[in-house]
Amino acid sequence: PLQDDALNTGHTISAFRYNNSTRFTSLTLNTICRSAAHKVVIMQGQTLHLIILAGVLLLLCQSNAYKVAIIGGGISGTFAAKYLAQYDTNNFSNSESGETRDCLLDEIAVYDVSPPPAGFAGDSETRENSDTETSTQSSADPRPPNWQGSRVASIKLKDGSIVELGGSIIYEGNQLVVDMMNGDPTRLKKGKPMGTGKDQKGGTNAKNTPSGFGIYHGEKQWLLNTSFFSNYPSFLQSILKPLYLLWRYNLDFFRLKSAVKQAIHSFDLVYDLLNDTQHDVTYFQSPMEIWDVMKLKSLAGVSFHDFLDGLGMYRDKSLELESSDREGYWWDWRQWVPGMGCMRAELVSAMTLNTYNQDLNQMNGLVGLVAYVPAGGELFSIQGGNHQLMESALYQSKEIYDSSSCKSSQQRIQRHQKKITSVVASENSIELYENHESLGKYDVVILAAPLQQSRIQFLVKSPMGLDEAVLHEMPLGGVHENEEKSSSLDVTTNEHGQHLFASSLPPSATAPYTSVVTTIVSNATLNATHFGLRNDEPWPQSILVSERGKILEGITTLTILSIENGLMKTFSSETLDLEKRNIIFGRGHVVEYVQVWGGEENGKYGGATPNFGGGRNSESLPYLLYDGATHWGKGDMGDSPALYYANAIESAVAAIEISAIGAKSTAKLVARRLDLIRPRKNGADHNEL
């Protein structure tokens, strides 16, 4: 009796005509809503019950119905919220008639273990229970014990200094991040990389002020140190430093620079494809499709060492820990020319350890290039902390709806501090739980956090006619035909009676992330003798380490943030004990903050960067992890719940901009599923792209 050529709004109605026992069950509003026109056809023999039902359905149509939940309030989750808001509001005006309909998304709820920013649900309670004068964490504290939260986080010290705990620098070519900044120029302003938001006395050109970078090899030996350039004027430094690196690394300098330039050009192409909603082929189903179109897929499957071999870059195995060759070859001309070095073992290796805490055998070719990209362009941080990117994304999402012409005025953007422990799919919705508390039912759920860190049970209810209390594991890795030969139904069929079973997850979805510890200290006095420097010699502002330096010193990076206050930051694989800290920072140092990515007791649930496995872990999951339409045998995707995975893109490479690309790819697929955008079907294929 109801029209069925319409948009799903996610509400489910069950009604009964008791006078003749005719049953109407699981009628979705898909059957009565299309744009602003809502029609209900009442069959002969209508009763008062059906008239009331029709009125209720029409009211629900006016309120719309799609509800989207996002698990994770980091870059992926908050950026996805903004992209969904844009898709929802950009396509609902009828420019010819001037008519408008209500927006199709009733709610975009972002769940995270961290407190929400000001102006969102739950904020007042959080602020009432915290001491804002003594609070040091400006983004993600207080977090529940042993829960990691976003890897883009900043800490505000008592003296007002702001220090990045995770993702610290942004590259000028990161278009999605720059677009987010352009959407909120008041809140998001460029600041100096590795800055603290406070002016340093004496300026950057003062004598002995930390400057440049160095690569420490341990036992008082430096492979590279550019701090001596600080004695020259700034304009001379900009000329002399590149010339020095060119002399030291000669042709390798150009080889890697050329490869990075080509990779950047490929990345620039992806933005046009992500912005294209007209061609079906630009809706990428998995990250591997993106890398394939960009001609970078092969790089993701090889180690960075192998990739550099392919470029013909010089390799000095005497500097590698895993090599038995401890002496250079006599015919190697570089060891006979003063000032020559090995770019691979020095600069490239140090940068990958600094960014990902993995050596060149662990890195794949793609992520290795991404790690080196910042060496060739302008870098910056967000004034006040990079965490403001996430906060601003939520504010911009809210402002998009506030300034739209949506008929209803409810607050669609929600932000909740919750720990999602279970995700349970049924035929018509996906329900989220925090322990035993239901947090609501949604049409689409986006997982915007690493799957192996989420601590979530993904379950599916039994089909209609069976006991719904019996839950089954959600087939996140897809399904495959059962190959066992048996007449027993409990062996050869799944809960739907089909010969299909869940496939195993790829290593990228199960391998633990790399452990990283961020330590912030003040009142530190670096031990020049320990590092083989004179007391009157300038320090590098950034001290990177070689593979050997990492083993001997126990750190991967040391950054001098303020020499006056002795404010410094280190990255390390493990927590630095008191003895190690005293050696590096002196006995008078004060530990301001320690961030163990993953938690002290539950490191398996955290970590800062994926384990790339030298290209062996590059196979990714698709963005669509679970499709209710397929699982329940429905033809229309819009009528069935779905689970998407924005962080699938981290299988091959991880960075702030990469998370934004994953967010936009996922939001685009969700928008198409919910009919917020409609591509043409006659687009080009991937080869043409």
Side-chain angles (χ1 to χ4, degrees), residues 515-519 554-555 570-581 591 593-597 599-600:
S515 173
V516 174
V517 179
T518 306
T519 305
I555 61 174
T570 63
F571 291 146
S572 58
S573 298
E574 299 177 350
T575 304
L576 301 178
D577 58 28
L578 179 61
E579 180 181 2
K580 175 61 70 175
R581 296 200 312 271
V591 177
Y593 198 87
V594 177
Q595 171 64 54
V596 182
W597 295 103
E600 293 281 1

Side-chain angles (χ1 to χ4, degrees), residues 475 478-482 490-494 498-503:
V479 296
H480 65 88
E481 289 282 352
N482 179 42
D490 62 345
V491 174
T492 59
T493 61
N494 60 16
Q498 301 169 331
H499 295 267
L500 298 173
F501 287 83
S503 300

Side-chain angles (χ1 to χ4, degrees), residues 152-172:
V152 177
S154 317
I155 182 174
K156 186 174 184 180
L157 305 179
K158 293 179 180 179
D159 68 350
S161 298
I162 296 174
V163 182
E164 300 298 337
L165 297 174
S168 304
I169 57 175
I170 300 168
Y171 170 60
E172 62 177 346

Side-chain angles (χ1 to χ4, degrees), residues 161-194:
S161 298
I162 296 174
V163 182
E164 300 298 337
L165 297 174
S168 304
I169 57 175
I170 300 168
Y171 170 60
E172 62 177 346
N174 292 347
Q175 292 188 26
L176 295 182
V177 173
V178 172
D179 287 345
M180 188 66 68
M181 295 176 65
N182 292 337
D184 191 358
T186 302
R187 295 188 186 96
L188 301 179
K189 299 178 180 179
K190 287 185 178 180
K192 293 193 305 182
M194 298 177 291

Side-chain angles (χ1 to χ4, degrees), residues 461-472:
K461 289 184 177 181
S462 294
M464 296 293 290
L466 300 179
D467 187 357
E468 288 194 353
V470 178
L471 302 177
H472 305 267

Side-chain angles (χ1 to χ4, degrees), residues 69-72 147 419-426 429-433 444-461 470-477 495 502 505 509 621 623-627 631 642-647:
I70 301 174
I71 304 174
W147 286 77
K419 299 189 294 288
I420 307 300
T421 55
S422 299
V423 172
V424 181
S426 63
S429 64
I430 295 180
E431 192 166 6
L432 304 187
Y433 290 87
V444 171
V445 174
I446 299 174
L447 178 61
L451 181 62
Q452 52 266 65
Q453 296 180 13
S454 65
R455 310 192 211 182
I456 298 174
Q457 295 185 82
F458 294 92
L459 305 169
V460 182
K461 289 184 177 181
V470 178
L471 302 177
H472 305 267
E473 183 179 354
M474 189 180 290
L476 301 179
E495 70 269 22
L505 297 172
L621 286 167
Y623 289 120
L624 178 59
L625 283 186
Y626 171 79
D627 183 3
H631 189 82
L643 172 68
Y644 288 83
Y645 185 31
N647 283 59

Side-chain angles (χ1 to χ4, degrees), residues 227-253:
S227 63
F228 66 87
F229 287 110
S230 62
N231 295 322
Y232 296 92
S234 296
F235 77 94
L236 274 181
Q237 291 186 40
S238 63
I239 298 173
L240 294 176
K241 284 182 181 179
L243 289 177
Y244 171 69
L245 294 176
L246 179 59
W247 168 258
R248 185 169 183 82
Y249 300 130
N250 45 80
L251 291 179
D252 285 350
F253 187 82

